[in-house]
mmCIF file of all heavy atoms in Angstrom:
data_model
loop_
_atom_site.group_PDB
_atom_site.id
_atom_site.type_symbol
_atom_site.label_atom_id
_atom_site.label_comp_id
_atom_site.label_asym_id
_atom_site.label_seq_id
_atom_site.Cartn_x
_atom_site.Cartn_y
_atom_site.Cartn_z
ATOM 1 N N THR L 617 43.026 -88.002 159.478
ATOM 2 C CA THR L 617 44.398 -88.187 159.806
ATOM 3 C C THR L 617 45.155 -86.816 159.940
ATOM 4 O O THR L 617 45.973 -86.605 160.882
ATOM 5 C CB THR L 617 45.094 -89.082 158.771
ATOM 6 O OG1 THR L 617 44.239 -90.116 158.431
ATOM 7 C CG2 THR L 617 46.388 -89.566 159.313
ATOM 8 N N TYR L 789 65.436 -89.767 170.820
ATOM 9 C CA TYR L 789 64.031 -89.839 170.562
ATOM 10 C C TYR L 789 63.664 -90.051 169.073
ATOM 11 O O TYR L 789 62.756 -89.607 168.588
ATOM 12 C CB TYR L 789 63.231 -88.660 171.117
ATOM 13 C CG TYR L 789 63.238 -88.624 172.586
ATOM 14 C CD1 TYR L 789 63.885 -87.709 173.270
ATOM 15 C CD2 TYR L 789 62.499 -89.652 173.262
ATOM 16 C CE1 TYR L 789 63.913 -87.743 174.671
ATOM 17 C CE2 TYR L 789 62.540 -89.756 174.629
ATOM 18 C CZ TYR L 789 63.264 -88.799 175.329
ATOM 19 O OH TYR L 789 63.258 -88.791 176.691
ATOM 20 N N ASP L 833 25.211 -104.152 116.237
ATOM 21 C CA ASP L 833 23.918 -103.918 116.719
ATOM 22 C C ASP L 833 23.808 -103.990 118.238
ATOM 23 O O ASP L 833 22.985 -103.509 118.913
ATOM 24 C CB ASP L 833 22.867 -104.822 116.169
ATOM 25 C CG ASP L 833 22.418 -104.315 114.767
ATOM 26 O OD1 ASP L 833 22.453 -103.097 114.551
ATOM 27 O OD2 ASP L 833 22.162 -105.155 113.891
ATOM 28 N N TYR L 839 18.999 -97.355 119.662
ATOM 29 C CA TYR L 839 18.514 -96.524 120.766
ATOM 30 C C TYR L 839 19.607 -96.002 121.638
ATOM 31 O O TYR L 839 19.405 -95.288 122.630
ATOM 32 C CB TYR L 839 17.463 -97.320 121.642
ATOM 33 C CG TYR L 839 17.967 -98.632 122.145
ATOM 34 C CD1 TYR L 839 18.797 -98.625 123.296
ATOM 35 C CD2 TYR L 839 17.795 -99.882 121.507
ATOM 36 C CE1 TYR L 839 19.238 -99.838 123.794
ATOM 37 C CE2 TYR L 839 18.280 -101.050 121.985
ATOM 38 C CZ TYR L 839 18.966 -101.079 123.153
ATOM 39 O OH TYR L 839 19.471 -102.194 123.668
ATOM 40 N N TRP L 891 44.405 -99.859 180.808
ATOM 41 C CA TRP L 891 43.357 -99.719 181.784
ATOM 42 C C TRP L 891 43.286 -100.949 182.758
ATOM 43 O O TRP L 891 42.530 -100.912 183.706
ATOM 44 C CB TRP L 891 42.030 -99.664 181.070
ATOM 45 C CG TRP L 891 41.761 -98.289 180.482
ATOM 46 C CD1 TRP L 891 42.359 -97.076 180.880
ATOM 47 C CD2 TRP L 891 40.828 -97.946 179.468
ATOM 48 N NE1 TRP L 891 41.834 -96.015 180.067
ATOM 49 C CE2 TRP L 891 40.968 -96.576 179.245
ATOM 50 C CE3 TRP L 891 40.002 -98.714 178.674
ATOM 51 C CZ2 TRP L 891 40.228 -95.936 178.256
ATOM 52 C CZ3 TRP L 891 39.249 -98.099 177.712
ATOM 53 C CH2 TRP L 891 39.345 -96.647 177.506
ATOM 54 N N GLU L 893 43.252 -103.226 185.459
ATOM 55 C CA GLU L 893 43.492 -103.018 186.898
ATOM 56 C C GLU L 893 44.365 -104.251 187.403
ATOM 57 O O GLU L 893 45.205 -104.045 188.251
ATOM 58 C CB GLU L 893 42.160 -103.041 187.641
ATOM 59 C CG GLU L 893 42.289 -102.222 188.877
ATOM 60 C CD GLU L 893 40.979 -102.316 189.615
ATOM 61 O OE1 GLU L 893 40.152 -103.250 189.312
ATOM 62 O OE2 GLU L 893 40.755 -101.565 190.477
ATOM 63 N N GLU L 898 50.625 -102.067 192.761
ATOM 64 C CA GLU L 898 50.519 -100.992 193.793
ATOM 65 C C GLU L 898 51.852 -100.540 194.240
ATOM 66 O O GLU L 898 52.029 -99.315 194.461
ATOM 67 C CB GLU L 898 49.763 -101.679 195.075
ATOM 68 C CG GLU L 898 48.360 -102.157 194.800
ATOM 69 C CD GLU L 898 47.384 -100.933 194.758
ATOM 70 O OE1 GLU L 898 47.767 -99.857 195.022
ATOM 71 O OE2 GLU L 898 46.297 -101.161 194.349
ATOM 72 N N GLY L 901 53.189 -98.383 191.682
ATOM 73 C CA GLY L 901 52.244 -97.338 191.294
ATOM 74 C C GLY L 901 52.068 -97.225 189.765
ATOM 75 O O GLY L 901 51.755 -96.149 189.247
ATOM 76 N N ARG L 1384 39.947 -110.967 167.717
ATOM 77 C CA ARG L 1384 39.235 -109.768 167.296
ATOM 78 C C ARG L 1384 39.758 -109.306 165.904
ATOM 79 O O ARG L 1384 39.010 -109.018 164.992
ATOM 80 C CB ARG L 1384 39.448 -108.620 168.333
ATOM 81 C CG ARG L 1384 38.658 -108.794 169.545
ATOM 82 C CD ARG L 1384 39.073 -107.825 170.596
ATOM 83 N NE ARG L 1384 38.431 -108.142 171.859
ATOM 84 C CZ ARG L 1384 38.695 -107.562 172.993
ATOM 85 N NH1 ARG L 1384 39.650 -106.670 173.057
ATOM 86 N NH2 ARG L 1384 38.080 -107.814 174.138
ATOM 87 N N TYR L 1406 26.338 -108.448 137.689
ATOM 88 C CA TYR L 1406 25.399 -107.590 137.022
ATOM 89 C C TYR L 1406 25.848 -107.258 135.660
ATOM 90 O O TYR L 1406 25.101 -106.980 134.694
ATOM 91 C CB TYR L 1406 25.054 -106.349 137.895
ATOM 92 C CG TYR L 1406 23.990 -105.470 137.331
ATOM 93 C CD1 TYR L 1406 22.685 -106.048 137.135
ATOM 94 C CD2 TYR L 1406 24.079 -104.127 137.115
ATOM 95 C CE1 TYR L 1406 21.635 -105.322 136.680
ATOM 96 C CE2 TYR L 1406 23.073 -103.354 136.633
ATOM 97 C CZ TYR L 1406 21.790 -104.002 136.403
ATOM 98 O OH TYR L 1406 20.741 -103.233 135.917
ATOM 99 N N GLN L 1414 29.591 -101.622 132.554
ATOM 100 C CA GLN L 1414 30.068 -101.021 133.803
ATOM 101 C C GLN L 1414 28.939 -100.232 134.535
ATOM 102 O O GLN L 1414 29.230 -99.325 135.340
ATOM 103 C CB GLN L 1414 31.237 -99.973 133.626
ATOM 104 C CG GLN L 1414 32.383 -100.658 132.941
ATOM 105 C CD GLN L 1414 32.787 -99.884 131.620
ATOM 106 O OE1 GLN L 1414 32.314 -98.829 131.428
ATOM 107 N NE2 GLN L 1414 33.543 -100.525 130.790
ATOM 108 N N GLN L 1443 34.479 -111.008 173.276
ATOM 109 C CA GLN L 1443 35.054 -112.012 174.176
ATOM 110 C C GLN L 1443 34.387 -113.259 173.887
ATOM 111 O O GLN L 1443 33.382 -113.573 174.376
ATOM 112 C CB GLN L 1443 34.879 -111.561 175.641
ATOM 113 C CG GLN L 1443 35.512 -110.304 175.946
ATOM 114 C CD GLN L 1443 35.254 -109.924 177.424
ATOM 115 O OE1 GLN L 1443 34.878 -110.680 178.263
ATOM 116 N NE2 GLN L 1443 35.515 -108.625 177.769
ATOM 117 N N THR L 1497 6.223 -109.906 137.122
ATOM 118 C CA THR L 1497 6.053 -108.519 137.148
ATOM 119 C C THR L 1497 6.185 -108.191 138.654
ATOM 120 O O THR L 1497 5.317 -108.333 139.506
ATOM 121 C CB THR L 1497 4.620 -108.089 136.720
ATOM 122 O OG1 THR L 1497 3.733 -108.968 137.429
ATOM 123 C CG2 THR L 1497 4.500 -108.233 135.257
ATOM 124 N N ASN L 1501 2.577 -102.974 145.528
ATOM 125 C CA ASN L 1501 1.259 -103.389 145.766
ATOM 126 C C ASN L 1501 0.313 -102.258 145.779
ATOM 127 O O ASN L 1501 0.423 -101.282 146.488
ATOM 128 C CB ASN L 1501 1.263 -104.126 147.118
ATOM 129 C CG ASN L 1501 -0.037 -104.797 147.293
ATOM 130 O OD1 ASN L 1501 -1.094 -104.325 146.901
ATOM 131 N ND2 ASN L 1501 0.018 -105.947 147.998
ATOM 132 N N THR L 1509 -1.091 -97.527 141.865
ATOM 133 C CA THR L 1509 -1.563 -98.917 141.550
ATOM 134 C C THR L 1509 -0.440 -99.710 141.064
ATOM 135 O O THR L 1509 0.491 -99.971 141.851
ATOM 136 C CB THR L 1509 -2.729 -98.812 140.627
ATOM 137 O OG1 THR L 1509 -2.496 -97.941 139.560
ATOM 138 C CG2 THR L 1509 -4.046 -98.405 141.210
ATOM 139 N N GLN L 1510 -0.369 -99.967 139.813
ATOM 140 C CA GLN L 1510 0.655 -100.930 139.364
ATOM 141 C C GLN L 1510 1.770 -100.165 138.791
ATOM 142 O O GLN L 1510 1.779 -99.550 137.747
ATOM 143 C CB GLN L 1510 0.010 -101.768 138.255
ATOM 144 C CG GLN L 1510 -0.823 -102.882 138.821
ATOM 145 C CD GLN L 1510 0.026 -103.823 139.594
ATOM 146 O OE1 GLN L 1510 0.751 -104.623 138.983
ATOM 147 N NE2 GLN L 1510 -0.046 -103.790 140.850
ATOM 148 N N MET L 1511 2.968 -100.262 139.474
ATOM 149 C CA MET L 1511 4.116 -99.534 139.035
ATOM 150 C C MET L 1511 5.278 -100.514 138.876
ATOM 151 O O MET L 1511 5.422 -101.490 139.583
ATOM 152 C CB MET L 1511 4.533 -98.543 140.091
ATOM 153 C CG MET L 1511 4.009 -97.183 139.648
ATOM 154 S SD MET L 1511 2.265 -97.074 139.685
ATOM 155 C CE MET L 1511 1.938 -97.096 141.439
ATOM 156 N N MET L 1512 6.055 -100.200 137.941
ATOM 157 C CA MET L 1512 7.190 -101.064 137.628
ATOM 158 C C MET L 1512 8.426 -100.655 138.407
ATOM 159 O O MET L 1512 8.614 -99.445 138.783
ATOM 160 C CB MET L 1512 7.585 -100.949 136.143
ATOM 161 C CG MET L 1512 6.394 -101.120 135.193
ATOM 162 S SD MET L 1512 5.622 -102.659 135.412
ATOM 163 C CE MET L 1512 6.974 -103.768 135.099
ATOM 164 N N ASN L 1515 15.982 -100.338 137.496
ATOM 165 C CA ASN L 1515 17.258 -100.971 137.921
ATOM 166 C C ASN L 1515 17.707 -100.496 139.216
ATOM 167 O O ASN L 1515 18.366 -101.173 140.004
ATOM 168 C CB ASN L 1515 18.309 -100.668 136.842
ATOM 169 C CG ASN L 1515 18.538 -99.183 136.695
ATOM 170 O OD1 ASN L 1515 17.679 -98.405 136.793
ATOM 171 N ND2 ASN L 1515 19.794 -98.807 136.495
ATOM 172 N N TRP L 1541 27.433 -110.070 173.938
ATOM 173 C CA TRP L 1541 26.492 -109.054 173.620
ATOM 174 C C TRP L 1541 26.368 -108.100 174.811
ATOM 175 O O TRP L 1541 25.584 -108.381 175.705
ATOM 176 C CB TRP L 1541 25.155 -109.553 173.212
ATOM 177 C CG TRP L 1541 25.107 -110.196 171.916
ATOM 178 C CD1 TRP L 1541 25.402 -111.414 171.552
ATOM 179 C CD2 TRP L 1541 24.604 -109.586 170.674
ATOM 180 N NE1 TRP L 1541 25.286 -111.690 170.193
ATOM 181 C CE2 TRP L 1541 24.741 -110.523 169.707
ATOM 182 C CE3 TRP L 1541 24.152 -108.314 170.406
ATOM 183 C CZ2 TRP L 1541 24.348 -110.221 168.372
ATOM 184 C CZ3 TRP L 1541 23.776 -108.023 169.107
ATOM 185 C CH2 TRP L 1541 23.887 -108.985 168.094
ATOM 186 N N GLN L 1574 18.090 -87.697 140.062
ATOM 187 C CA GLN L 1574 17.208 -88.002 141.153
ATOM 188 C C GLN L 1574 16.762 -89.460 141.074
ATOM 189 O O GLN L 1574 15.642 -89.803 141.269
ATOM 190 C CB GLN L 1574 15.998 -87.092 141.141
ATOM 191 C CG GLN L 1574 16.259 -85.564 141.120
ATOM 192 C CD GLN L 1574 17.051 -85.176 142.356
ATOM 193 O OE1 GLN L 1574 16.913 -85.848 143.412
ATOM 194 N NE2 GLN L 1574 17.733 -84.078 142.290
ATOM 195 N N PRO L 1588 6.065 -108.489 148.112
ATOM 196 C CA PRO L 1588 7.079 -109.530 147.736
ATOM 197 C C PRO L 1588 8.471 -109.017 148.034
ATOM 198 O O PRO L 1588 9.371 -109.842 148.308
ATOM 199 C CB PRO L 1588 6.901 -109.530 146.232
ATOM 200 C CG PRO L 1588 5.517 -109.093 145.977
ATOM 201 C CD PRO L 1588 5.131 -108.132 147.040
ATOM 202 N N LEU L 1591 9.086 -110.042 151.542
ATOM 203 C CA LEU L 1591 9.265 -111.484 151.592
ATOM 204 C C LEU L 1591 10.573 -111.906 151.037
ATOM 205 O O LEU L 1591 11.211 -112.806 151.560
ATOM 206 C CB LEU L 1591 8.117 -112.130 150.820
ATOM 207 C CG LEU L 1591 6.717 -112.090 151.548
ATOM 208 C CD1 LEU L 1591 5.603 -112.668 150.617
ATOM 209 C CD2 LEU L 1591 6.712 -112.878 152.871
ATOM 210 N N SER Z 859 50.021 -95.847 160.556
ATOM 211 C CA SER Z 859 49.759 -94.563 159.908
ATOM 212 C C SER Z 859 48.693 -93.782 160.749
ATOM 213 O O SER Z 859 48.820 -92.530 160.830
ATOM 214 C CB SER Z 859 49.177 -94.791 158.533
ATOM 215 O OG SER Z 859 48.173 -95.748 158.613
ATOM 216 N N TYR Z 860 47.769 -94.420 161.331
ATOM 217 C CA TYR Z 860 46.777 -93.676 162.070
ATOM 218 C C TYR Z 860 47.100 -93.870 163.646
ATOM 219 O O TYR Z 860 46.137 -93.723 164.403
ATOM 220 C CB TYR Z 860 45.429 -94.129 161.764
ATOM 221 C CG TYR Z 860 45.152 -94.088 160.244
ATOM 222 C CD1 TYR Z 860 45.211 -95.186 159.465
ATOM 223 C CD2 TYR Z 860 44.950 -92.804 159.642
ATOM 224 C CE1 TYR Z 860 45.024 -95.108 158.177
ATOM 225 C CE2 TYR Z 860 44.722 -92.761 158.294
ATOM 226 C CZ TYR Z 860 44.824 -93.938 157.520
ATOM 227 O OH TYR Z 860 44.673 -93.843 156.248
ATOM 228 N N HIS Z 868 56.884 -89.645 172.640
ATOM 229 C CA HIS Z 868 58.272 -89.863 173.026
ATOM 230 C C HIS Z 868 59.082 -88.713 172.565
ATOM 231 O O HIS Z 868 60.281 -88.849 172.356
ATOM 232 C CB HIS Z 868 58.767 -91.142 172.411
ATOM 233 C CG HIS Z 868 58.162 -92.309 173.160
ATOM 234 N ND1 HIS Z 868 58.405 -92.463 174.450
ATOM 235 C CD2 HIS Z 868 57.504 -93.372 172.716
ATOM 236 C CE1 HIS Z 868 57.824 -93.604 174.859
ATOM 237 N NE2 HIS Z 868 57.219 -94.177 173.816
ATOM 238 N N SER Z 883 50.769 -93.479 186.209
ATOM 239 C CA SER Z 883 51.008 -93.839 187.573
ATOM 240 C C SER Z 883 49.711 -93.857 188.371
ATOM 241 O O SER Z 883 49.622 -94.450 189.458
ATOM 242 C CB SER Z 883 51.993 -92.884 188.282
ATOM 243 O OG SER Z 883 51.401 -91.675 188.440
ATOM 244 N N LYS Z 885 46.084 -95.147 189.186
ATOM 245 C CA LYS Z 885 45.531 -96.412 189.133
ATOM 246 C C LYS Z 885 44.393 -96.439 188.134
ATOM 247 O O LYS Z 885 43.590 -95.477 188.152
ATOM 248 C CB LYS Z 885 44.982 -96.843 190.531
ATOM 249 C CG LYS Z 885 44.738 -98.347 190.669
ATOM 250 C CD LYS Z 885 44.311 -98.583 192.143
ATOM 251 C CE LYS Z 885 43.610 -99.961 192.124
ATOM 252 N NZ LYS Z 885 44.411 -101.020 192.451
ATOM 253 N N GLN Z 893 37.553 -102.482 182.415
ATOM 254 C CA GLN Z 893 38.048 -103.756 182.757
ATOM 255 C C GLN Z 893 37.447 -104.848 181.874
ATOM 256 O O GLN Z 893 37.604 -106.001 182.116
ATOM 257 C CB GLN Z 893 37.732 -104.037 184.247
ATOM 258 C CG GLN Z 893 38.325 -103.080 185.179
ATOM 259 C CD GLN Z 893 39.804 -102.895 185.004
ATOM 260 O OE1 GLN Z 893 40.508 -103.855 184.787
ATOM 261 N NE2 GLN Z 893 40.343 -101.666 185.034
ATOM 262 N N GLN Z 894 36.708 -104.488 180.879
ATOM 263 C CA GLN Z 894 36.090 -105.425 179.904
ATOM 264 C C GLN Z 894 35.225 -106.438 180.558
ATOM 265 O O GLN Z 894 35.219 -107.577 180.430
ATOM 266 C CB GLN Z 894 37.152 -106.208 179.112
ATOM 267 C CG GLN Z 894 38.177 -105.272 178.431
ATOM 268 C CD GLN Z 894 38.960 -106.044 177.397
ATOM 269 O OE1 GLN Z 894 38.434 -106.680 176.487
ATOM 270 N NE2 GLN Z 894 40.296 -105.980 177.504
ATOM 271 N N TRP Z 899 25.300 -110.757 177.331
ATOM 272 C CA TRP Z 899 24.603 -111.931 176.945
ATOM 273 C C TRP Z 899 25.483 -112.696 176.068
ATOM 274 O O TRP Z 899 26.073 -112.144 175.155
ATOM 275 C CB TRP Z 899 23.374 -111.530 176.244
ATOM 276 C CG TRP Z 899 22.567 -112.660 175.632
ATOM 277 C CD1 TRP Z 899 22.104 -113.796 176.245
ATOM 278 C CD2 TRP Z 899 22.088 -112.751 174.275
ATOM 279 N NE1 TRP Z 899 21.429 -114.577 175.435
ATOM 280 C CE2 TRP Z 899 21.386 -113.918 174.136
ATOM 281 C CE3 TRP Z 899 22.181 -111.887 173.112
ATOM 282 C CZ2 TRP Z 899 20.850 -114.338 173.048
ATOM 283 C CZ3 TRP Z 899 21.665 -112.353 172.006
ATOM 284 C CH2 TRP Z 899 20.955 -113.524 171.907
ATOM 285 N N TYR Z 981 -4.238 -105.650 134.025
ATOM 286 C CA TYR Z 981 -3.158 -104.723 133.642
ATOM 287 C C TYR Z 981 -2.523 -105.173 132.374
ATOM 288 O O TYR Z 981 -2.335 -106.422 132.125
ATOM 289 C CB TYR Z 981 -2.076 -104.833 134.808
ATOM 290 C CG TYR Z 981 -2.679 -104.230 136.128
ATOM 291 C CD1 TYR Z 981 -3.443 -104.968 136.918
ATOM 292 C CD2 TYR Z 981 -2.406 -102.895 136.431
ATOM 293 C CE1 TYR Z 981 -4.011 -104.441 138.078
ATOM 294 C CE2 TYR Z 981 -2.937 -102.355 137.562
ATOM 295 C CZ TYR Z 981 -3.734 -103.119 138.363
ATOM 296 O OH TYR Z 981 -4.247 -102.610 139.564
ATOM 297 N N TYR Z 990 18.696 -103.385 126.070
ATOM 298 C CA TYR Z 990 19.545 -103.023 127.224
ATOM 299 C C TYR Z 990 19.181 -101.653 127.800
ATOM 300 O O TYR Z 990 19.905 -100.711 127.493
ATOM 301 C CB TYR Z 990 20.985 -103.217 126.895
ATOM 302 C CG TYR Z 990 21.369 -104.738 126.920
ATOM 303 C CD1 TYR Z 990 21.149 -105.476 125.807
ATOM 304 C CD2 TYR Z 990 21.923 -105.230 128.024
ATOM 305 C CE1 TYR Z 990 21.467 -106.824 125.787
ATOM 306 C CE2 TYR Z 990 22.303 -106.538 128.039
ATOM 307 C CZ TYR Z 990 21.971 -107.429 126.896
ATOM 308 O OH TYR Z 990 22.333 -108.718 126.990
ATOM 309 N N ARG Z 994 25.017 -98.711 130.654
ATOM 310 C CA ARG Z 994 25.407 -97.584 131.366
ATOM 311 C C ARG Z 994 25.241 -96.232 130.624
ATOM 312 O O ARG Z 994 24.766 -95.302 131.116
ATOM 313 C CB ARG Z 994 26.886 -97.653 131.806
ATOM 314 C CG ARG Z 994 27.401 -96.461 132.583
ATOM 315 C CD ARG Z 994 28.575 -96.776 133.392
ATOM 316 N NE ARG Z 994 29.730 -96.960 132.590
ATOM 317 C CZ ARG Z 994 30.556 -96.042 132.227
ATOM 318 N NH1 ARG Z 994 30.422 -94.803 132.662
ATOM 319 N NH2 ARG Z 994 31.684 -96.294 131.554
ATOM 320 N N ASP Z 1002 17.697 -85.138 134.625
ATOM 321 C CA ASP Z 1002 16.613 -85.082 135.637
ATOM 322 C C ASP Z 1002 16.154 -83.609 135.911
ATOM 323 O O ASP Z 1002 15.001 -83.414 136.301
ATOM 324 C CB ASP Z 1002 17.025 -85.759 136.937
ATOM 325 C CG ASP Z 1002 16.791 -87.286 136.852
ATOM 326 O OD1 ASP Z 1002 16.139 -87.659 135.927
ATOM 327 O OD2 ASP Z 1002 17.386 -87.990 137.633
ATOM 328 N N GLY Z 1065 -2.544 -93.327 135.841
ATOM 329 C CA GLY Z 1065 -2.356 -94.207 137.086
ATOM 330 C C GLY Z 1065 -1.380 -95.255 136.835
ATOM 331 O O GLY Z 1065 -1.371 -96.240 137.658
ATOM 332 N N TRP Z 1068 4.449 -93.968 139.008
ATOM 333 C CA TRP Z 1068 4.516 -93.688 140.488
ATOM 334 C C TRP Z 1068 3.941 -92.260 140.691
ATOM 335 O O TRP Z 1068 4.294 -91.371 140.006
ATOM 336 C CB TRP Z 1068 5.988 -93.721 140.921
ATOM 337 C CG TRP Z 1068 6.627 -95.060 141.015
ATOM 338 C CD1 TRP Z 1068 6.154 -96.193 140.447
ATOM 339 C CD2 TRP Z 1068 7.925 -95.307 141.606
ATOM 340 N NE1 TRP Z 1068 7.059 -97.168 140.646
ATOM 341 C CE2 TRP Z 1068 8.098 -96.679 141.358
ATOM 342 C CE3 TRP Z 1068 8.827 -94.579 142.251
ATOM 343 C CZ2 TRP Z 1068 9.253 -97.324 141.761
ATOM 344 C CZ3 TRP Z 1068 9.950 -95.169 142.681
ATOM 345 C CH2 TRP Z 1068 10.164 -96.541 142.480
ATOM 346 N N TRP Z 1069 3.184 -92.254 141.734
ATOM 347 C CA TRP Z 1069 2.568 -90.986 142.107
ATOM 348 C C TRP Z 1069 3.653 -89.920 142.263
ATOM 349 O O TRP Z 1069 3.509 -88.739 141.750
ATOM 350 C CB TRP Z 1069 1.760 -91.066 143.375
ATOM 351 C CG TRP Z 1069 0.916 -89.880 143.685
ATOM 352 C CD1 TRP Z 1069 -0.353 -89.674 143.268
ATOM 353 C CD2 TRP Z 1069 1.357 -88.758 144.442
ATOM 354 N NE1 TRP Z 1069 -0.800 -88.413 143.725
ATOM 355 C CE2 TRP Z 1069 0.227 -87.873 144.458
ATOM 356 C CE3 TRP Z 1069 2.591 -88.352 145.150
ATOM 357 C CZ2 TRP Z 1069 0.309 -86.642 145.143
ATOM 358 C CZ3 TRP Z 1069 2.595 -87.191 145.734
ATOM 359 C CH2 TRP Z 1069 1.496 -86.276 145.759
ATOM 360 N N THR Z 1125 14.287 -96.853 134.090
ATOM 361 C CA THR Z 1125 15.023 -97.817 133.330
ATOM 362 C C THR Z 1125 14.908 -99.174 133.966
ATOM 363 O O THR Z 1125 15.058 -99.259 135.173
ATOM 364 C CB THR Z 1125 16.471 -97.467 133.138
ATOM 365 O OG1 THR Z 1125 16.966 -97.076 134.412
ATOM 366 C CG2 THR Z 1125 16.629 -96.296 132.175
ATOM 367 N N ALA Z 1127 15.793 -103.045 135.107
ATOM 368 C CA ALA Z 1127 16.968 -103.629 135.659
ATOM 369 C C ALA Z 1127 17.615 -104.574 134.750
ATOM 370 O O ALA Z 1127 18.885 -104.752 134.791
ATOM 371 C CB ALA Z 1127 16.664 -104.293 136.959
ATOM 372 N N ARG Z 1132 9.300 -105.924 131.228
ATOM 373 C CA ARG Z 1132 7.887 -105.446 130.790
ATOM 374 C C ARG Z 1132 7.554 -104.154 131.575
ATOM 375 O O ARG Z 1132 8.040 -103.906 132.599
ATOM 376 C CB ARG Z 1132 6.906 -106.597 131.085
ATOM 377 C CG ARG Z 1132 6.918 -107.134 132.495
ATOM 378 C CD ARG Z 1132 5.797 -108.122 132.738
ATOM 379 N NE ARG Z 1132 6.045 -109.360 132.145
ATOM 380 C CZ ARG Z 1132 5.281 -110.446 132.455
ATOM 381 N NH1 ARG Z 1132 4.260 -110.332 133.341
ATOM 382 N NH2 ARG Z 1132 5.483 -111.607 131.902
ATOM 383 N N LEU Z 1134 4.360 -101.397 132.394
ATOM 384 C CA LEU Z 1134 2.849 -101.277 132.444
ATOM 385 C C LEU Z 1134 2.473 -100.313 131.323
ATOM 386 O O LEU Z 1134 3.091 -99.271 131.180
ATOM 387 C CB LEU Z 1134 2.488 -100.643 133.789
ATOM 388 C CG LEU Z 1134 0.981 -100.652 134.092
ATOM 389 C CD1 LEU Z 1134 0.415 -102.057 133.976
ATOM 390 C CD2 LEU Z 1134 0.774 -100.139 135.519
ATOM 391 N N SER Z 1165 16.535 -105.205 114.677
ATOM 392 C CA SER Z 1165 17.942 -104.945 114.437
ATOM 393 C C SER Z 1165 18.871 -105.447 115.516
ATOM 394 O O SER Z 1165 19.959 -105.889 115.331
ATOM 395 C CB SER Z 1165 18.186 -103.450 114.311
ATOM 396 O OG SER Z 1165 17.825 -102.845 115.521
ATOM 397 N N TRP Z 1179 -2.556 -109.702 146.177
ATOM 398 C CA TRP Z 1179 -1.915 -108.937 147.192
ATOM 399 C C TRP Z 1179 -0.437 -108.862 147.083
ATOM 400 O O TRP Z 1179 0.343 -107.996 147.548
ATOM 401 C CB TRP Z 1179 -2.295 -109.376 148.602
ATOM 402 C CG TRP Z 1179 -1.849 -110.842 148.823
ATOM 403 C CD1 TRP Z 1179 -2.584 -111.885 148.511
ATOM 404 C CD2 TRP Z 1179 -0.695 -111.374 149.381
ATOM 405 N NE1 TRP Z 1179 -1.932 -113.086 148.853
ATOM 406 C CE2 TRP Z 1179 -0.736 -112.679 149.391
ATOM 407 C CE3 TRP Z 1179 0.453 -110.690 149.883
ATOM 408 C CZ2 TRP Z 1179 0.246 -113.503 149.868
ATOM 409 C CZ3 TRP Z 1179 1.534 -111.466 150.366
ATOM 410 C CH2 TRP Z 1179 1.399 -112.824 150.405
ATOM 411 N N MET Z 1180 0.182 -109.898 146.474
ATOM 412 C CA MET Z 1180 1.571 -109.939 146.362
ATOM 413 C C MET Z 1180 2.130 -109.525 144.974
ATOM 414 O O MET Z 1180 3.181 -109.791 144.609
ATOM 415 C CB MET Z 1180 2.074 -111.371 146.711
ATOM 416 C CG MET Z 1180 1.391 -112.425 145.844
ATOM 417 S SD MET Z 1180 2.456 -113.902 145.633
ATOM 418 C CE MET Z 1180 3.574 -113.300 144.407
ATOM 419 N N TYR Z 1191 10.325 -120.146 148.910
ATOM 420 C CA TYR Z 1191 9.950 -120.243 150.317
ATOM 421 C C TYR Z 1191 9.646 -121.730 150.718
ATOM 422 O O TYR Z 1191 10.130 -122.181 151.855
ATOM 423 C CB TYR Z 1191 8.669 -119.415 150.576
ATOM 424 C CG TYR Z 1191 8.975 -118.101 151.222
ATOM 425 C CD1 TYR Z 1191 9.220 -116.925 150.459
ATOM 426 C CD2 TYR Z 1191 9.084 -117.963 152.614
ATOM 427 C CE1 TYR Z 1191 9.491 -115.706 151.053
ATOM 428 C CE2 TYR Z 1191 9.395 -116.795 153.211
ATOM 429 C CZ TYR Z 1191 9.613 -115.658 152.392
ATOM 430 O OH TYR Z 1191 9.967 -114.497 152.998
#
Side-chain angles (χ1 to χ4, degrees):
Chain L
T617 316
Y789 289 112
D833 278 331
Y839 57 84
W891 282 338
E893 207 185 16
E898 296 284 351
R1384 287 168 186 172
Y1406 191 54
Q1414 303 121 18
Q1443 298 179 16
T1497 48
N1501 191 325
T1509 46
Q1510 281 293 287
M1511 263 65 72
M1512 311 301 301
N1515 63 323
W1541 284 84
Q1574 304 297 339
L1591 286 175
Chain Z
S859 50
Y860 306 100
H868 284 302
S883 69
K885 196 176 161 91
Q893 300 306 320
Q894 305 194 57
W899 171 54
Y981 295 80
Y990 282 84
R994 180 160 72 91
D1002 277 343
W1068 291 10
W1069 187 91
T1125 48
R1132 50 174 77 167
L1134 189 56
S1165 63
W1179 59 272
M1180 53 151 284
Y1191 259 92

